[in-house]
Amino acid sequence: MRIALINENSQAAKNPLIYQALRKVADRLGYEVDNYGMYSAEDSAQLTYVQNGILAAAILNAGAADFVVTGCGTGEGAMLALNSFPGVICGHVESPLDAYTFAQINDGNAIALPFALGFGWGGDLNLEYIFEKLFSEPFGGGYPKERVVPEQRNKKILDEVKKHSYRQNLVEIFRELDPELVRGAFAGEKFSELFFAHCKDAEIGDYIRSIL
């Protein structure tokens, strides 16, 4: 599994801490982590939580990563921004239990974490435990296990609903947004290096190259 980490500007200073906790779990599982930043509050490319959604949607729909870890001060804004786009199912996760049940019941491809609200002493440990439970089992296995059949059925229904509720493809959506907003989402220091090395969708890749 390839995991993308994205931080917005209000919590950019925590990027090294979050990356370390994520890598600690991912390395044990043999997963790859791509750190898209922001890397510090002083980065020249400043991401808002809305741009987190744009960036995450591009990464997931292009197959440049299988899963996105992101967040903001409360995690709510980032969750709403990611869920504004097709091909993204993002859960709001505050605890290891949230992480486990989201993975097993909802089988999504992104989480939004609160990196300020309630993030006090032991916050780094909570992150590590969240990542451990999130990736502890294959996604979609159900919880409790006897509920696996209806839960998997509901996930398929949700996927079908999202296909119809998002009638435009991602590039068409990006073209209708403020060009500077979209371009800014891809302005990170290591974006091109990470994204184009793993992008599997030519249309999305060509569009992003055209605006950079």
Side-chain angles (χ1 to χ4, degrees):
M1 177 182 286
R2 182 169 295 278
I3 305 163
L5 172 62
I6 305 170
N7 279 103
E8 48 80 64
N9 52 16
S10 79
Q11 302 302 308
K14 293 192 177 84
N15 177 269
L17 182 150
I18 300 161
Y19 180 62
Q20 182 178 11
L22 182 54
R23 276 290 306 272
K24 189 172 181 180
V25 174
D27 287 352
R28 290 201 298 262
L29 296 169
Y31 295 167
E32 299 292 331
V33 179
D34 290 337
N35 187 358
Y36 280 83
M38 297 174 53
Y39 306 104
S40 75
E42 289 73 40
D43 284 11
S44 58
Q46 294 281 314
L47 285 175
T48 66
Y49 71 74
V50 177
Q51 289 171 314
N52 280 14
I54 293 170
L55 178 52
I59 290 168
L60 291 170
N61 281 276
D66 307 297
F67 198 90
V68 167
V69 171
T70 189
C72 56
T74 65
E76 300 287 2
M79 182 268 292
L80 292 169
L82 267 69
N83 283 324
S84 297
F85 292 95
V88 183
I89 296 179
C90 180
H92 183 265
V93 168
E94 297 185 26
S95 70
L97 181 58
D98 285 344
Y100 182 78
T101 53
F102 172 70
Q104 296 306 308
I105 297 171
N106 306 112
D107 191 15
N109 55 8
I111 59 168
L113 296 155
F115 293 132
L117 184 66
F119 196 99
W121 191 73
D124 56 333
L125 289 177
N126 189 51
L127 280 177
E128 184 179 336
Y129 300 154
I130 283 173
F131 297 141
E132 284 179 350
K133 297 308 293 184
L134 180 68
F135 300 116
S136 63
E137 298 177 23
F139 280 33
Y143 183 82
K145 296 302 181 184
E146 61 269 20
R147 289 284 302 162
V148 63
V149 173
E151 287 169 359
Q152 289 178 346
R153 181 173 63 245
N154 287 336
K155 172 57 164 51
K156 290 177 181 177
I157 292 170
L158 177 60
D159 289 342
E160 190 64 22
V161 168
K162 285 178 74 73
K163 286 180 186 177
H164 292 285
S165 59
Y166 295 95
R167 294 187 178 275
Q168 295 172 294
N169 70 22
L170 190 63
V171 170
E172 290 172 341
I173 293 171
F174 284 167
R175 290 187 190 281
E176 293 188 2
L177 299 177
D178 177 351
E180 291 306 312
L181 179 74
V182 177
R183 187 178 295 109
F186 307 131
E189 176 186 347
K190 297 182 180 178
F191 170 78
S192 293
E193 171 190 341
L194 295 172
F195 180 81
F196 293 116
H198 305 290
C199 176
K200 298 178 179 67
D201 187 292
E203 183 184 12
I204 295 174
D206 290 345
Y207 167 74
I208 294 175
R209 283 191 183 91
S210 75
I211 66 169
L212 291 179

